[in-house]
Amino acid sequence: MSIQSLPRQPVYARQGMVATSQPLAAQAGLHLLREGGNAVDAAIATAAALTVVEPTSNGIGGDLFALVWDDGTLHGLNASGRSPQGLSLAALSGAQMPTHGWLPVTVPGAPQGWAALHERFGRLPFKQVLAPAIHYARTGYPLSPVLAENWRRGIQAHLSRTGPEFDEWRRVFAPSGFQAQAGEMWQSPDHAATLERIASSAAADFYDGELARKMDAYARATGGLLRLDDLGEHRSEWVTPISTAYQDHRLWEIPPNGQGLAALVALGILNGLDLPDQHGDPAGLHLQIEAMKLGFVDAHRYVADPQHQPVPVEALLAERYLASRRAQISAQALDPQAGDPNSHGTVYLAAADRDGQMVSLIQSNYMGFGSGIVVPGTGIALQNRGHNFSLEAGHPNLLAPRKRPYHTIIPGFLTRADGVPRGPFGVMGGFMQPQGHLQVVVNTVKYGMNPQQVLDAPRWQWTGKTTVEVEHELGGAAARALQARGHDIRVQLNPNAFGRGQVIWRDPESGVLTGGSESRTDGQVAGF
């Protein structure tokens, strides 16, 4: 057996652990734990560092969601931003929502999300928590291999974008002489200075200070709709997590506007079905795929900003409704439709400390680098989450001013049925995320895999109608068996298509932490 073919092993620790997609960010969180910080301090440090050491997937101008287990209770934070007051159907002038530029830009929620988490749960000073990220931004760091590949793709994609609003992106992320290869150094003093302003003001400067005024001015100068009032009115929201049972466990998610509801509906459907005992059995894969389809079409039909349109969460998760959806699953692949219950860039991290506090946190700019807009002199790369608004008349997720869009990023948390926590987990990757959550939970609970085995297992994803993409490691026999059941199977050779996950489980008796990190990326579990 070659060294390259040896599988990763799970990591075990007792004092604390951080798992994320970039090793330097994991080390930043571990440093805070060693300095006496708790899991929330470590999570914020890791999240802030990720905006520097993995800007291909997230940035200061993105959104954040988090689940925090603290003192026997699971808390949820929705730190996603709303559309500007000036963004409306009329602003599109009949066109489709573009993927890049100013129109899909929504208010960034991540900086206030860090501050909200720290205010409620943090132990160390906020400036100390953000110090590792500031250090990496100011002094620079060498690119890791998968990061470098994604960066090269981002530069190539950016070549087709024209207009003054994209000029700063090129200066910051594709400076003259920069090769975007493994080991290449990159730094951003502007990014460091912005993080210092966020640290010293508990993020207030970002929403009602010099940073906010710079965003407003650049938008006005280059055709954007984001304004100082939009930033000043932003508020993070503490929410009650929602859940569903699967065997002797419960999966917990953030309620809408996130798409965690898709995973819950799918898992609730599966909870009434008997999966084969052998992992990878095509009959079991078929049932998982069919349940996921039904969960997705319901989420796409009903998930929206609940402050604009009520979302029937309880009705969608009621056993009576789940049973009706379950009854639609047969031996053949279904082209699903939404039911009626009343009749590519993201980073994820998990953190845990010796006292039992655990954090599941996810943040993103969406579609890699986001909108392609960087605010001059700040290093703030703005997200393009507005692309996920619907333009269909009457749809709950219809584009409107000051509204949160359907959001793809979702942190996950698993407990036993009696309320004892297993721990935080997540799988990044757009619409792969609920599908990754389902596969992690089933492989953990039904098939008894450890965190690293769960993340290394071959993945599948439904992409629409009867089309299912699978990794080639799934095997030809399983792929052909699924095809015989009516699935349009596509073998996808790009591992980026199947998300990137992290898992930390905690033993309730010993307190021992077991972590796994995605083998499809540069990820690392750091523990002590």
Side-chain angles (χ1 to χ4, degrees):
M1 180 181 289
S2 67
I3 292 177
Q4 288 83 359
S5 65
L6 288 172
R8 289 188 181 187
Q9 298 298 326
V11 174
Y12 296 87
R14 174 62 181 83
Q15 301 303 309
M17 183 175 285
V18 178
T20 195
S21 51
Q22 217 284 344
L24 296 178
Q27 293 298 319
L30 185 66
H31 172 72
L32 266 293
L33 289 172
R34 288 185 179 276
E35 291 291 306
N38 59 20
V40 167
D41 292 325
I44 299 168
T46 304
L50 282 165
T51 70
V52 181
V53 302
E54 199 174 347
T56 54
S57 298
N58 78 129
I60 303 175
D63 278 345
L64 175 155
F65 293 86
L67 291 165
V68 179
W69 181 273
D70 183 75
D71 196 25
T73 301
L74 188 64
H75 307 266
L77 179 67
N78 182 334
S80 64
R82 296 165 178 82
S83 54
Q85 179 62 41
L87 182 59
S88 64
L89 290 172
L92 294 181
S93 300
Q96 294 297 305
M97 176 67 80
T99 56
H100 296 86
W102 274 111
L103 280 174
V105 171
T106 51
V107 174
Q112 195 178 97
W114 301 339
L117 285 167
H118 184 265
E119 180 181 19
R120 186 164 183 176
F121 296 109
R123 181 182 297 168
L124 298 178
F126 198 46
K127 289 183 179 180
Q128 185 177 351
V129 172
L130 265 58
I134 295 168
H135 167 77
Y136 285 132
R138 177 157 288 127
T139 64
Y141 65 94
L143 273 60
S144 48
V146 175
L147 170 65
E149 174 61 25
N150 291 335
W151 205 309
R152 285 194 297 273
R153 291 178 180 176
I155 291 174
Q156 187 63 33
H158 193 81
L159 293 176
S160 63
R161 296 170 199 148
T162 59
E165 66 269 31
F166 299 118
D167 290 346
E168 184 72 358
W169 190 98
R170 286 186 286 272
R171 188 189 73 81
V172 172
F173 293 115
S176 177
F178 180 68
Q179 298 299 313
Q181 60 189 10
E184 180 89 356
M185 291 292 294
W186 182 82
Q187 64 189 99
S188 177
D190 290 342
H191 198 130
T194 291
L195 287 171
E196 286 177 331
R197 282 186 171 274
I198 292 171
S200 62
S201 67
D205 191 271
F206 190 93
Y207 297 94
D208 191 25
E210 182 62 25
L211 293 174
R213 288 189 286 274
K214 286 184 177 181
M215 284 184 271
D216 178 288
Y218 192 52
R220 291 177 187 273
T222 56
L225 300 173
L226 190 65
R227 296 291 183 264
L228 195 60
D229 286 348
D230 299 318
L231 293 160
E233 292 185 8
H234 172 74
R235 298 292 183 273
S236 298
E237 182 183 2
W238 290 101
V239 296
T240 302
I242 56 178
S243 71
T244 197
Y246 182 68
Q247 296 190 5
D248 60 347
H249 283 69
R250 293 195 76 84
L251 169 63
W252 296 84
E253 303 277 358
I254 296 285
N257 58 311
Q259 65 174 345
L261 185 60
L264 296 180
V265 171
L267 203 62
I269 292 170
L270 274 185
N271 197 38
L273 298 171
D274 292 326
L275 296 184
D277 291 334
Q278 181 179 352
H279 175 262
D281 186 314
L285 295 175
H286 170 74
L287 293 176
Q288 293 177 61
I289 292 167
E290 293 302 285
M292 192 69 251
K293 290 179 184 179
L294 294 169
F296 249 132
V297 294
D298 281 351
H300 286 161
R301 173 64 183 84
Y302 295 107
V303 168
D305 185 343
Q307 295 178 356
H308 285 249
Q309 179 71 39
V311 182
V313 173
E314 292 185 9
L316 287 165
L317 296 178
E319 178 53 34
R320 179 178 179 181
Y321 178 71
L322 294 173
S324 72
R325 300 298 268 163
R326 196 178 296 131
Q328 296 184 30
I329 297 177
S330 69
Q332 288 296 303
L334 176 72
D335 182 0
Q337 303 298 319
D340 184 355
N342 297 314
S343 75
H344 183 14
T346 300
V347 293
Y348 172 81
L349 67 94
D353 63 30
R354 73 188 73 182
D355 298 319
Q357 187 183 79
M358 292 179 278
V359 181
S360 181
L361 187 152
I362 195 162
Q363 65 184 27
S364 173
N365 270 14
Y366 199 40
M367 297 184 183
F369 282 98
S371 65
I373 294 174
V374 177
V375 181
T378 69
I380 299 171
L382 294 169
Q383 64 185 358
N384 55 341
R385 281 291 164 186
H387 182 71
N388 276 345
F389 277 118
S390 172
L391 303 184
E392 176 189 340
H395 196 284
N397 186 43
L398 181 66
L399 172 66
R402 298 277 167 87
K403 185 176 182 180
R404 285 170 164 156
Y406 178 111
H407 225 294
T408 61
I409 62 174
I410 51 173
F413 200 92
L414 190 64
T415 66
R416 300 186 191 277
D418 59 6
V420 175
R422 285 293 296 272
F425 75 97
V427 178
M428 301 161 273
F431 295 101
M432 177 64 202
Q433 293 183 51
Q435 310 190 61
H437 282 210
L438 181 142
Q439 291 170 66
V440 166
V441 173
V442 169
N443 288 342
T444 297
V445 177
K446 170 66 178 179
Y447 296 110
M449 295 183 180
N450 68 46
Q452 193 59 54
Q453 291 172 326
V454 160
L455 295 173
D456 290 343
R459 293 186 188 140
W460 52 264
Q461 66 168 326
W462 175 66
T463 60
K465 295 186 179 296
T466 60
T467 302
V468 179
E469 293 185 347
V470 300
E471 292 189 290
H472 70 89
E473 290 87 354
L474 188 71
R480 286 189 294 272
L482 289 172
Q483 194 168 45
R485 292 174 180 268
H487 298 282
D488 179 11
I489 298 298
R490 312 286 178 88
V491 178
Q492 171 61 262
L493 299 180
N494 179 9
N496 282 342
F498 295 93
R500 304 175 300 158
Q502 315 293 329
V503 178
I504 296 177
W505 299 149
R506 182 179 188 273
D507 184 283
E509 301 299 327
S510 65
V512 169
L513 303 166
T514 307
S517 184
E518 184 61 66
S519 56
R520 297 167 183 82
T521 189
D522 302 317
Q524 182 185 75
V525 180
F528 77 113

